[in-house]
Amino acid sequence: MDAFMTGRRAVVASRSTPWRRALGDLLEELGAEAVPCKDLDRALAALAQGGVDLLVLDSAAARVVVPRIEAPLPDHVLVLDPTGSHPAPQLDATERVRPAVLHATVDSPSLVARLQAWFAAATSASGVVIDEAALSHLQATFGSRLQRVFDVFVSDSPDRATRLAAHVADENWADARREAHSLKSSTATFGLTALSGDLAAFEQACRRDEGPAFAHRVADIEGRLSAAIDGLRALLG
């Protein structure tokens, strides 16, 4: 199966162990890092840590978790309801989240199709995986100004990568976290999902004083960013 979710982090919330394991196995087969949560408070804690691209819940968990979400929400929230008997839960009157409800089992083709629609990616000529949806959004947002936005990214991000590498070498985890945070956001903007995912994981590790254990996630950050810029340049023309 195509690992089109490489670099993505998904929280899976359900009190059903077989369901949780089956969905976690599927997401990992698709390339994602799956965080299974039987304890629904743990799901809320995982969201609070940040760096989550996808939240998946069964319909029973959704009724408990969705109204209690206070952290910044992932871009995609999916409620799987095999029975079709539960309406989409709403967070509150502000409607901060409208979960997509999919009447499908874990092994349903429609589930994979939905994930592909959300996380479809293209591989550039340089071999870098780039999220097509993110690029399409940028092009729709900036139009002819996109080249200037890209030029700013090209002029700024290599210096940040150099500083990040230096901070890691010096074991300066506070400054490394700050550079990782900035690079995480800019690389995500340009659809560099794997790179942004590694930066997000490293940033969160530094917040937990676990930077050394996750330093491998930003190894050769300068070389990876350079290849990513070449890939974007080829796609953007």
Side-chain angles (χ1 to χ4, degrees), residues 135-215:
L135 284 186
S136 296
H137 176 72
L138 281 179
Q139 289 167 334
T141 301
F142 291 102
S144 61
R145 294 175 295 149
L146 179 56
Q147 185 59 51
R148 272 181 283 171
V149 176
F150 180 59
D151 288 344
V152 171
F153 174 70
V154 170
S155 65
D156 176 72
S157 57
D159 288 340
R160 291 194 178 278
T162 297
R163 290 196 296 269
L164 171 56
H167 293 322
V168 171
D170 292 340
E171 299 184 353
N172 181 347
W173 306 113
D175 287 341
R177 177 186 59 77
R178 282 189 283 270
E179 295 296 352
H181 175 80
S182 296
L183 270 178
K184 172 199 69 177
S185 300
S186 58
T187 52
T189 296
F190 279 92
L192 302 170
T193 57
L195 187 55
S196 180
D198 281 340
L199 287 160
F202 175 73
E203 178 196 2
Q204 292 303 320
C206 289
R207 291 185 187 278
R208 302 189 302 268
D209 295 325
E210 297 175 358
F214 281 73

Side-chain angles (χ1 to χ4, degrees), residues 68-127:
R68 296 174 57 197
I69 296 174
E70 296 179 356
L73 295 162
D75 290 335
H76 303 294
V77 182
L78 176 64
V79 177
L80 285 184
D81 177 20
T83 67
S85 61
H86 297 288
Q90 294 295 327
L91 183 59
D92 55 30
T94 63
E95 296 184 341
R96 286 201 305 132
V97 58
R98 290 179 177 271
V101 176
L102 191 62
H103 305 307
T105 58
V106 171
D107 58 356
S108 170
S110 61
L111 170 57
V112 176
R114 172 60 67 94
L115 295 173
Q116 284 177 320
W118 280 346
F119 300 110
T123 302
S124 72
S126 64

